[in-house]
């Protein structure tokens, strides 16, 4: 009887050990490695009482991106994603991740009238003509397109967290179109944006860039918040 009891205990331990080894382990994600050099700066610079979320996956560009903490945007705390280190010009700016208590820019994107994409072929035809031949109404149409919202679509980032995907037109040669995802979380307003993403020839969003940005925003929403060190 004693030998049977010892054998039973050993078998039970073996089964439990096997169950422990085969049970899927939960691994907490961490911000993508490109953010490692700025984590401490984020903690030190973010306003007290705010939190920042950095994605664990950043697949929005085929080129290497360099993060830069920006505290000069009124009402926002941002991390720029640049195509060059120590970026000093708009040309190397590629995207931004930002958080704010009340962002005027985000509020504007949410409330702007949507410019119908059906007008884009007409706009393209007007721009191909000499500017001196444009009528007053045609010029008003062109002006109304500058920085206009072309699309605004509700999306789900995670259970209980709803966001909105927005396509914004550019403001001339120096300001290309941009894609945005906005959402509210932690009592704050988050924004993820990238430059480009719209094909004027087809009057359509570039789906690969849309998906990449939404996936980045989903990754942000699922990440643990980074708190202020102050």
């Amino acid at each position: 009887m004693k030998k049977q009891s010892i054998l039973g205990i050993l078998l039970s331990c073996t089964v439990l050990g096997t169950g422990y080894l085969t049970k899927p382990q939960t691994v907490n994600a961490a911000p993508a490695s490109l953010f490692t050099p700025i984590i401490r700066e984020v903690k030190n610079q973010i306003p007290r009482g705010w939190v920042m979320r950095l994605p664990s996956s950043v697949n929005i560009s085929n080129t290497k991106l360099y993060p830069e903490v920006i505290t000069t945007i009124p009402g926002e705390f941002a991390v720029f994603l640049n195509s060059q280190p120590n970026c000093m010009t708009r040309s190397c700016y590629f995207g931004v991740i930002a958080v704010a208590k009340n962002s005027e820019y985000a509020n504007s994107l949410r409330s702007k009238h949507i410019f119908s994409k059906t007008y884009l072929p007409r706009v393209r035809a007007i721009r191909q003509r000499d500017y001196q031949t444009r009528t007053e109404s045609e010029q008003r149409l062109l002006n109304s397109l500058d920085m206009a919202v072309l699309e605004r679509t509700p999306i789900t980032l995670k259970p209980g967290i709803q966001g909105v995907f927005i396509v914004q037109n550019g403001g001339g040669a120096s300001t290309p179109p941009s894609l945005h995802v906005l959402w509210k979380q932690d009592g704050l307003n988050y924004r993820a944006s990238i430059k480009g993403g719209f094909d004027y020839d087809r009057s359509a969003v570039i789906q690969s860039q849309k998906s990449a940005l939404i996936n980045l925003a989903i990754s942000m929403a699922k990440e643990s918040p980074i708190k202020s060190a102050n």
Side-chain angles (χ1 to χ4, degrees), residues 90-161:
R90 187 180 295 180
S91 61
C92 57
Y93 160 81
F94 184 80
V96 61
I97 297 167
V99 62
K101 278 199 171 180
N102 183 31
S103 171
E104 291 185 8
Y105 182 56
N107 291 340
S108 174
L109 287 174
R110 289 178 183 276
S111 60
K112 270 189 176 182
H113 172 74
I114 297 177
F115 187 98
S116 175
K117 286 182 282 190
T118 60
Y119 287 107
L120 292 179
R122 182 184 174 194
V123 167
R124 191 160 54 247
I126 294 171
R127 285 179 170 164
Q128 289 173 348
R129 298 189 346 240
D130 189 293
Y131 76 94
Q132 294 180 333
T133 66
R134 298 171 186 169
T135 66
E136 187 175 335
S137 63
E138 288 175 337
Q139 190 57 51
R140 283 199 303 270
L141 179 64
L142 295 181
N143 293 340
S144 66
L145 181 58
D146 283 352
M147 306 306 293
V149 168
L150 303 178
E151 178 184 334
R152 192 160 48 231
T153 306
I155 57 174
T156 298
L157 300 178
K158 60 179 288 189
I161 301 296

Side-chain angles (χ1 to χ4, degrees), residues 8 11 13-15 23 25 33 44 47 54 57 59 68 71 80 82 90 92 109 133 138 149-150 179 181 188 219 229:
L11 287 172
C13 289
T14 302
V15 171
K23 182 180 179 180
Q25 301 299 303
S33 59
N44 290 335
L54 298 175
S57 176
N59 297 309
E68 178 185 3
T71 59
F80 276 25
N82 303 321
R90 187 180 295 180
C92 57
L109 287 174
T133 66
E138 288 175 337
V149 168
L150 303 178
L179 307 182
V181 175
L188 298 164
S219 179

Side-chain angles (χ1 to χ4, degrees), residues 4 28 34 46 58 61 72-73 82 97 104 133 156 161 163 194 196 212 221:
Q4 289 178 344
N28 291 327
L34 74 91
I46 192 169
V58 180
S61 173
T72 55
I73 303 175
N82 303 321
I97 297 167
E104 291 185 8
T133 66
T156 298
I161 301 296
I194 59 173

Side-chain angles (χ1 to χ4, degrees), residues 3 12 41 48 54 57 83 115 194 223:
K3 289 183 179 179
S12 297
E41 188 177 2
R48 182 180 298 178
L54 298 175
S57 176
S83 60
F115 187 98
I194 59 173
E223 268 299 298

